[in-house]
Amino acid sequence: MKSLGWLLCAAALLPAHAGVTVTPGDDEHLVIRGRLVLAEQESDGRLVLAGDRIVCAGADCAEPPGATVLDVSEGYVFPGFIDAHNHVAYNALPKWTPPKLYQNRGQWQRAAAYKTFKRPYDQLKKSGLICEMVKYGEAKALISGVTTIQGSPAGRCLQGLIRNAENPQSGLPVSSAHVRTFILDVGGAPKIDWNATDAFLIHVAEGVDADALAEFSTLKAKGLLAPGTAVIHGTAFGDEEFRQMGAAGSKLIWSPQSNLALYGRTTRVDLALRHGVPVSLGVDWNPTGSDNLFDELRVAESVNRQQFQSAIRERDWVAMITRHPARALALDDYIGELRAGLKADVVILSSRAAAPGQALLDARLRDVAAVLVDGRLLYGDSDAMAAAGRADCDALTVDGAPKRLCMQTAKTPKGEQRLDDVRAALRKVYAGVAPLAP
């Protein structure tokens, strides 16, 4: 397994502030010893990787003879994070401050202020830069530990960085029909062939007025209130709507920061949980969402504490960015947990928190020590990346910490582009491109 060689070198040289030490070995297996964040608990144990797969995860895992061993003494080993909802191409745009609060999404989408703000997006897209726009958005996600994201258009140029949930070239053995997303008015939603589609994500009830709420009736009339449906937003829903969602086995994807910025209130997640509706978290987009997944978690925690009487428990935060979105996207056979047979998507997060949920709420971008997708180290602390033979990857400073990010992807269109190439191409058309990190 030659592909593991440089990965193991990287592990061996992770910087001291991550609390990592390594005993070098062969390049067949990598063993990570540390505090593993498993599905139902955290446990001191071992994570054994071979190529792009997890071989074993837990306290009783045997270490293959001669394996390189990575000890994480101060931090957590998480499954790769999943951003359940995003409009990735828009993340090249800066923040937008709406001039007022709106009642439903149709109002702000028709507003002159938004059309003026969106003009650079249209210019970038017309300039043939959709690949650069999405790759830049992927890079923004990757530096916060996101290894899978929803909301990217399909395209071969996007293969090789983080997984794009709807893209059959995401490195997962699923068809283009497996995950489908509909972002327009629910009235125009297509008929779904549930024999081909396992996850259907749709914007419904994004707003706070009667028009937004009426979309739920349309969803039902179209036969789309189903176990495979994940409702994005559901901001106008009340107890009855969530009761019906729970009975149908549907899921919910929540983007609190964007809801608050546009409508002044957010989805009643406490009611969703009361009726057994699984909830996932999504950043939505850079213009009115959070700068990164950690900031979105903190917004959600604030709302939970101030409005929901802490209905979301500390241990639920991990599930909302790992297991729950994996199931909402019908990708839980491949990602979302540290479990044997699943893909080797891993995040090492430096932390002194007593529990993984609190570690997420405390985390800053500088605390992301390493991110692996398919067992490949794509992002991490600069010294580790350089020592891994990845000194040619893009150097950047994130939250005051030196990092490196590997943007180039072999055998893909525009795959030779570096981060600076992508950023320069965008800035040539629009000088106001959002910073990669605040």
Side-chain angles (χ1 to χ4, degrees):
M1 297 183 181
K2 293 181 180 179
S3 62
L4 268 179
W6 58 267
L7 168 59
L8 302 184
C9 291
L13 291 161
L14 285 169
H17 70 75
V20 176
T21 57
V22 170
T23 303
D26 61 42
D27 63 355
E28 289 295 316
H29 293 88
L30 170 64
V31 176
I32 304 176
R33 296 175 184 163
R35 196 69 173 164
L36 307 182
V37 182
L38 305 176
E40 300 300 332
Q41 62 183 356
E42 67 274 10
S43 172
D44 290 325
R46 297 169 179 83
L47 182 68
V48 183
L49 308 181
D52 66 347
R53 295 282 175 174
I54 298 171
V55 175
C56 188
D60 299 326
C61 291
E63 297 184 7
T68 291
V69 179
L70 168 64
D71 283 298
V72 181
S73 63
E74 190 172 90
Y76 289 93
V77 182
F78 287 90
F81 303 148
I82 304 170
D83 185 342
H85 174 59
N86 210 306
H87 298 273
V88 184
Y90 282 84
N91 292 339
L93 299 184
K95 296 298 182 187
W96 178 49
T97 302
K100 65 176 185 178
L101 295 176
Y102 299 94
Q103 296 296 298
N104 59 65
R105 70 175 186 151
Q107 291 180 347
W108 62 262
Q109 288 180 340
R110 293 189 296 266
Y114 174 67
K115 291 179 179 179
T116 298
F117 168 78
K118 183 177 176 285
R119 195 169 295 135
Y121 172 88
D122 298 329
Q123 293 170 339
L124 290 165
K125 190 174 180 180
K126 288 178 181 177
S127 299
L129 295 175
I130 191 66
C131 289
E132 287 83 353
M133 294 161 71
V134 175
K135 287 199 288 186
Y136 193 73
E138 287 187 35
K140 283 177 66 69
L142 181 65
I143 65 174
S144 64
V146 172
T147 58
T148 298
I149 198 165
Q150 181 277 331
S152 298
R156 286 193 61 241
C157 64
L158 307 179
Q159 185 177 1
L161 288 178
I162 66 176
R163 303 186 192 280
N164 300 277
E166 299 98 332
N167 192 338
Q169 293 158 343
S170 64
L172 302 176
V174 296
S175 72
S176 58
H178 184 82
V179 181
R180 296 188 61 183
T181 301
F182 191 72
I183 65 172
L184 303 178
D185 184 273
V186 64
K191 184 177 181 180
I192 297 298
D193 178 1
W194 293 111
N195 292 315
T197 296
D198 290 278
F200 178 55
L201 282 67
I202 182 168
H203 288 65
V204 181
E206 185 185 353
V208 295
D209 63 0
D211 288 344
L213 182 58
E215 293 183 350
F216 184 68
S217 296
T218 305
L219 183 78
K220 292 193 297 179
K222 285 180 164 286
L224 294 174
L225 185 63
T229 296
V231 169
I232 300 169
H233 296 301
T235 316
F237 287 177
D239 192 73
E240 177 58 21
E241 289 73 32
F242 285 122
R243 184 193 68 77
Q244 293 184 46
M245 282 186 66
S250 299
K251 289 87 173 176
L252 178 70
I253 299 174
W254 182 34
S255 299
Q257 172 56 37
S258 191
N259 295 162
L260 292 169
L262 292 165
Y263 313 112
R265 76 179 203 222
T266 190
T267 312
R268 287 292 304 271
V269 166
D270 56 331
L271 300 180
L273 294 174
R274 181 183 302 171
H275 292 290
V277 178
V279 179
S280 304
L281 200 68
V283 174
D284 198 4
W285 62 342
N286 194 65
T288 58
S290 296
D291 284 309
N292 56 69
L293 190 62
F294 300 134
D295 286 349
E296 191 74 15
L297 280 161
R298 282 185 279 274
V299 172
E301 192 276 336
S302 178
V303 172
N304 179 52
R305 184 168 23 86
Q306 296 178 17
Q307 300 181 29
F308 301 158
Q309 291 74 53
S310 298
I312 303 170
R313 300 162 299 179
E314 182 274 333
R315 64 179 178 269
D316 295 332
W317 298 116
V318 177
M320 289 170 66
I321 61 170
T322 56
R323 299 194 311 279
H324 289 181
R327 292 170 185 166
L329 294 164
L331 297 175
D332 48 316
D333 285 340
Y334 312 105
I335 60 174
E337 295 182 32
L338 298 180
R339 176 162 53 89
L342 270 60
K343 289 287 191 174
D345 295 356
V346 182
V347 177
I348 297 176
L349 190 66
S350 298
S351 177
R352 295 179 180 177
Q358 191 59 52
L360 291 176
L361 297 175
D362 292 345
R364 298 299 187 269
L365 292 178
R366 68 178 295 114
D367 298 322
V368 179
V371 183
L372 290 73
V373 180
D374 261 347
R376 297 174 295 122
L377 183 64
L378 294 185
Y379 173 77
D381 295 294
S382 182
D383 289 348
M385 300 292 286
R390 312 237 78 188
D392 61 334
C393 291
D394 300 301
L396 63 161
T397 300
V398 176
D399 193 23
K403 306 282 185 177
R404 287 190 182 270
L405 184 152
C406 299
M407 175 70 78
Q408 293 178 302
T409 54
K411 300 180 181 180
T412 61
K414 298 187 176 183
E416 75 287 352
Q417 290 178 323
R418 305 177 71 91
L419 177 59
D420 285 347
D421 297 328
V422 170
R423 189 158 33 203
L426 296 173
R427 286 177 174 171
K428 186 175 180 180
V429 175
Y430 176 53
V433 171
L436 197 65

